[in-house]
Amino acid sequence: MSVTKSTEGPQGAVAIKLDLMSPPESAKKLENKDSTFLDESPSESAGLKKTKGITVFQALIHLVKGNMGTGILGLPLAVKNAGILMGPLSLLVMGFIACHCMHILVKCAQRFCKRLNKPFMDYGDTVMHGLEANPNAWLQNHAHWGRHIVSFFLIITQLGFCCVYIVFLADNLKQVVEAVNSTTNNCYSNETVILTPTMDSRLYMLSFLPFLVLLVLIRNLRILTIFSMLANISMLVSLVIIIQYITQEIPDPSRLPLVASWKTYPLFFGTAIFSFESIGVVLPLENKMKNARHFPAILSLGMSIVTSLYIGMAALGYLRFGDDIKASISLNLPNCWLYQSVKLLYIAGILCTYALQFYVPAEIIIPFAISRVSTRWALPLDLSIRLVMVCLTCE
């Protein structure tokens, strides 16, 4: 069996290693390396074959779902910090810029796939090969750092989403429990809500921990698709309930400022940026599609839908409640079981979404860790890392 020797940076070492392996082992290695978190998991059995690609409709659903999290509930307050005119216009511009950057990312990945004859290209590979193609010699020599930096920020971003989700779950469940004695079936009464003090929010977070641990132990995305569908349904129903309420009695919009103070604009910017959560799923979706040539059109359509939903929810929410808008629009809803169900539905949706957000950092950290231990300790280490990561997001 031949051995190919190369001195061209880190790629040379990879070439030597692959030539020394048998053809089946090399194929498996490349397949695992190029897998993304929507493909076969590197931590799953190496014998599993790559599943069929997703359809155009499935890619669109995943893309929209990737953006629809807790951020949309805080957009009405964000518009208050920007102004009834400046806020929606800024959301439109941010949506356009986000979509444009995603298109650039996809084009770069597709070009490198053709140049290097690779079926997939993840974030780390795209950045590394992009730096290697740069005319700057220093960037070429340090291209591997691009992969590490991107992986680091992906881990921080996705675990940050998980932390926000846990806080959201605990706070919303606490609100429902404390108001349960005052919650009625009459959604038109203006009775004062008498809250019954319960346990601390941190104890509510702890109560979710067993369910979260069970969810993150699921390493097969084919099974997680069930939870993703449940999350889509619950969030869609809750948003419909919210919109039908806020469109009932919209007061005169002339009392609202077109442009708010520039001192509060950074608050709008932070909330709006957090709402666009799908950057972590763009390349995995493109890699998983049956026909990736259709993905740019799906990306434009999906981001148009998301941006329209954001602008509509943000503007209508601020128009309806004005200066009384709260951090989450769900807090402005009447204390009846119909609108309390919004919180319960969102709790179910976010709980199911947690596992999908957690999947990204897990598939970066765990394969790296288990590659440094024997096969005997691979599964115990995998489960231990998942448990520790979940506990860290609950602190």
Side-chain angles (χ1 to χ4, degrees), residues 93-318:
V93 172
M94 293 172 67
F96 175 80
I97 294 175
C99 184
H100 176 66
C101 292
M102 291 176 185
H103 276 289
I104 294 177
L105 178 64
V106 171
K107 289 180 181 178
C108 289
Q110 291 178 343
R111 178 169 297 182
F112 285 126
C113 283
K114 293 179 180 178
R115 179 184 299 181
L116 303 173
N117 195 25
K118 296 180 67 175
F120 304 110
M121 189 71 64
D122 61 17
Y123 288 94
D125 289 335
T126 303
V127 172
M128 185 180 70
H129 294 306
L131 293 177
E132 289 175 348
N134 193 284
N136 187 295
W138 187 90
L139 291 178
Q140 293 178 8
N141 295 331
H142 296 82
H144 62 281
W145 283 104
R147 178 197 296 275
H148 301 322
I149 293 174
V150 168
S151 297
F152 172 78
F153 282 112
L154 271 177
I155 292 171
I156 296 299
T157 301
Q158 299 303 124
L159 288 181
F161 288 145
C162 291
C163 293
V164 172
Y165 285 174
I166 291 176
V167 174
F168 178 87
L169 291 171
D171 287 346
N172 278 265
L173 182 59
K174 182 180 180 181
Q175 293 164 12
V176 173
V177 173
E178 290 183 346
V180 67
N181 292 331
S182 302
T183 304
T184 65
N185 294 323
N186 186 4
C187 296
Y188 300 98
S189 62
N190 295 322
E191 298 179 1
T192 303
V193 178
I194 302 176
L195 300 179
T196 304
T198 59
M199 57 185 181
D200 188 79
S201 295
R202 288 170 291 186
L203 296 178
Y204 281 99
M205 295 181 189
L206 189 62
S207 66
F208 282 107
L209 184 58
F211 302 99
L212 297 175
V213 170
L214 292 176
L215 284 174
V216 301
L217 292 181
I218 302 174
R219 297 176 292 167
N220 191 328
L221 276 179
R222 290 187 293 273
I223 299 176
L224 287 179
T225 302
I226 301 173
F227 296 95
S228 179
M229 181 61 67
L230 292 175
N232 283 328
I233 294 173
S234 62
M235 289 184 180
L236 177 62
V237 173
S238 63
L239 290 178
V240 169
I241 295 174
I242 293 174
I243 292 175
Q244 68 85 24
Y245 175 76
I246 62 179
T247 55
Q248 290 179 4
E249 298 178 5
I250 297 180
D252 184 9
S254 61
R255 59 188 176 86
L256 302 177
L258 297 179
V259 180
S261 172
W262 289 106
K263 295 180 180 179
T264 60
Y265 190 81
L267 298 176
F268 160 83
F269 188 80
T271 304
I273 284 293
F274 172 77
S275 301
F276 290 95
E277 303 177 13
S278 67
I279 187 63
V281 302
V282 172
L283 283 186
L285 285 177
E286 188 266 345
N287 291 339
K288 187 67 175 177
M289 286 191 65
K290 292 180 180 179
N291 191 345
R293 292 179 299 175
H294 295 155
F295 188 74
I298 295 302
L299 181 59
S300 298
L301 177 60
M303 290 304 298
S304 298
I305 294 173
V306 168
T307 304
S308 300
L309 284 174
Y310 283 179
I311 293 175
M313 175 65 74
L316 290 174
Y318 183 44

Side-chain angles (χ1 to χ4, degrees), residues 49 58 76 87 111 125 136 138 150 178 222 231 240 264 293 319 327 358 361 372 376-377 379 383-384 387:
K49 295 182 179 180
Q58 289 171 333
R111 178 169 297 182
D125 289 335
N136 187 295
W138 187 90
V150 168
E178 290 183 346
R222 290 187 293 273
V240 169
T264 60
R293 292 179 299 175
L319 286 172
F358 183 90
R372 281 154 176 76
R376 175 185 176 186
W377 296 102
L379 181 59
L383 300 179
S384 300
L387 180 59

